[in-house]
Amino acid sequence: MAHVAITVPASPEQIFAVLADGWLFSTWVVGATHVRDVDDSWPAVGSRLHFQVGVWPFTMDDTAEVVMAKPPRRLEWEARVRPVGSALIRVGLWEMDSGKTHVHIYEHAVHGVGAVIPTRVQELLLVPYNKEALSRLADIAVGRARAPVDHGRDGGTHV
């Protein structure tokens, strides 16, 4: 499996909140260009989000389905891009003493063309891709953590 890790100055809960918002998928997943729909139960096991990959007008529609969820520590899904195949992606979050979180992402092709590519070659292709994805995920989580809260005139909380 291709493996990348990063330390993020945010809590596991703050980072998992980004993972749990399926509508943010295309903002941090490299290559995902548009989220078409997200099941109301996302990120529960079996829930799906429907996305596009590619560059317009050369895009493909497909899905990501959650195969394991242990909020706020772990989320795994299988991303399908037919007819190319599918990959298993696992994100793990480990809280550090300093108020930071060590985030790991693992990815491995499991079906289709990608599955016949040797693991070492998959790693060469996926590591830079996943470094960028984790960088984007970190930026979103940190930015959301710093966003000021507006209590408004009605006393409700608005972000």
Side-chain angles (χ1 to χ4, degrees), residues 69-89:
K70 294 186 177 181
R73 301 285 183 242
R74 187 168 166 182
L75 185 63
E76 290 185 32
W77 65 92
E78 184 175 351
R80 295 175 185 87
V81 181
R82 295 178 192 95
V84 177
S86 67
L88 183 64
I89 297 100

Side-chain angles (χ1 to χ4, degrees), residues 1-150:
M1 278 190 161
H3 170 249
V4 175
I6 187 173
T7 300
V8 181
S11 70
E13 291 80 11
Q14 290 165 324
I15 298 165
F16 198 89
V18 176
L19 298 172
D21 185 343
W23 292 104
L24 293 175
F25 190 78
S26 63
T27 63
W28 69 272
V29 174
V30 178
T33 58
H34 177 73
V35 175
R36 300 181 340 267
D37 194 23
V38 179
D39 288 355
D40 290 339
S41 58
W42 181 269
V45 172
S47 63
R48 291 183 179 185
L49 66 80
H50 307 266
F51 63 97
Q52 289 180 328
V53 295
V55 177
W56 186 89
F58 307 105
T59 61
M60 294 183 286
D61 292 348
D62 239 309
T63 61
E65 181 176 341
V66 176
V67 295
M68 178 182 284
K70 294 186 177 181
R73 301 285 183 242
R74 187 168 166 182
L75 185 63
E76 290 185 32
W77 65 92
E78 184 175 351
R80 295 175 185 87
V81 181
R82 295 178 192 95
V84 177
S86 67
L88 183 64
I89 297 100
R90 177 186 320 141
V91 176
L93 308 168
W94 287 271
E95 190 167 21
M96 302 170 70
D97 291 336
S98 60
K100 298 178 181 179
T101 301
H102 202 63
V103 183
H104 293 258
I105 189 168
Y106 301 88
E107 183 170 354
H108 186 73
V110 292
H111 296 104
V113 176
V116 299
I117 296 173
T119 300
R120 182 68 186 131
V121 175
Q122 285 187 47
E123 289 172 354
L124 289 172
L125 298 170
L126 294 172
V127 165
Y129 167 92
N130 284 326
K131 280 184 181 179
E132 177 62 19
L134 284 187
S135 177
R136 293 177 184 188
L137 177 65
D139 288 344
I140 295 166
V142 170
R144 289 175 100 189
R146 287 193 301 207
V149 175
D150 173 13

